[in-house]
């Protein structure tokens, strides 16, 4: 028989997986709707002193886009031109993601729900257990 703390922990994990919130850090919820190219195009500002521009022709540019982190801070950033695409949902109903590639480094960015249902890009950098992320809002 399981102890109460172990049962509570198992139930909490199951609820997180069922609600789809487990992949986002900082209590963000998944966006919950399909994202269109029109919603993504334009300038985005990150809370990590980074900017991102997404163009309708599937090109993108970034300034100080974080691609690696250690236990407390971003350790590697890239600036320059790249590409983007929307990664569709999988059979297991995993939410869509934004795939960005800069300097041959691919990054999958989550679509999250911001205030009043707005779209936020949440880029988890490094070990997911550390919770180091950069959140981008549309300018």
């Amino acid at each position: 028989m399981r102890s109460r703390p172990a049962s509570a922990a198992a139930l909490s994990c199951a609820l997180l997986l069922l609600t789809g919130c487990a992949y986002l850090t900082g209590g963000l919820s998944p966006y919950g709707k399909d994202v269109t190219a029109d919603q993504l195009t334009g300038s985005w500002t990150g809370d990590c002193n980074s900017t991102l521009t997404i163009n309708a022709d599937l090109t993108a540019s970034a300034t100080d886009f974080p691609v690696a982190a250690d236990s407390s801070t971003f350790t590697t950033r890239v600036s320059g031109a790249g590409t983007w695409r929307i990664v569709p949902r999988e059979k297991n109903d995993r939410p869509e993601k934004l795939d960005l590639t800069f300097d041959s480094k691919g990054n999958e960015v989550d679509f999250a729900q911001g205030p009043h249902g707005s779209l936020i890009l949440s880029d988890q950098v490094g070990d997911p257990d550390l919770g180091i992320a950069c959140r981008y809002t549309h300018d």
Side-chain angles (χ1 to χ4, degrees):
M1 178 175 246
R2 284 187 176 170
S3 68
R4 286 184 184 229
S7 296
L11 179 60
S12 294
C13 289
L15 288 173
L16 279 174
L17 290 172
L18 288 173
T19 61
C21 296
Y23 75 99
L24 291 172
T25 60
L28 291 176
S29 296
Y31 187 60
K33 301 178 243 177
D34 289 338
V35 176
T36 66
D38 287 343
Q39 288 174 281
L40 294 173
T41 56
S43 298
W44 296 78
T45 301
D47 61 4
C48 59
N49 296 319
S50 174
T51 59
L52 179 62
T53 302
I54 298 176
N55 302 307
D57 66 358
L58 302 182
T59 62
S61 61
T63 303
D64 294 327
F65 186 83
V67 293
D70 64 14
S71 63
S72 63
T73 188
F74 302 114
T75 58
T76 306
R77 293 173 178 258
V78 297
S79 296
T83 60
W84 69 272
R85 70 184 182 95
I86 296 173
V87 178
R89 293 180 192 276
E90 293 180 356
K91 290 180 183 177
N92 64 359
D93 219 20
R94 182 198 71 156
E96 295 175 300
K97 292 182 181 267
L98 174 64
D99 181 41
L100 291 168
T101 302
F102 298 106
D103 287 345
S104 301
K105 293 181 175 130
N107 297 281
E108 282 196 345
V109 177
D110 293 312
F111 297 132
Q113 185 169 318
H116 310 291
S118 63
L119 176 63
I120 291 178
L121 305 179
S122 180
D123 183 26
Q124 174 69 45
V125 183
D127 184 345
D129 291 335
L130 298 175
I132 300 173
C134 185
R135 296 178 181 170
Y136 292 86
T137 55
H138 206 278
D139 295 343

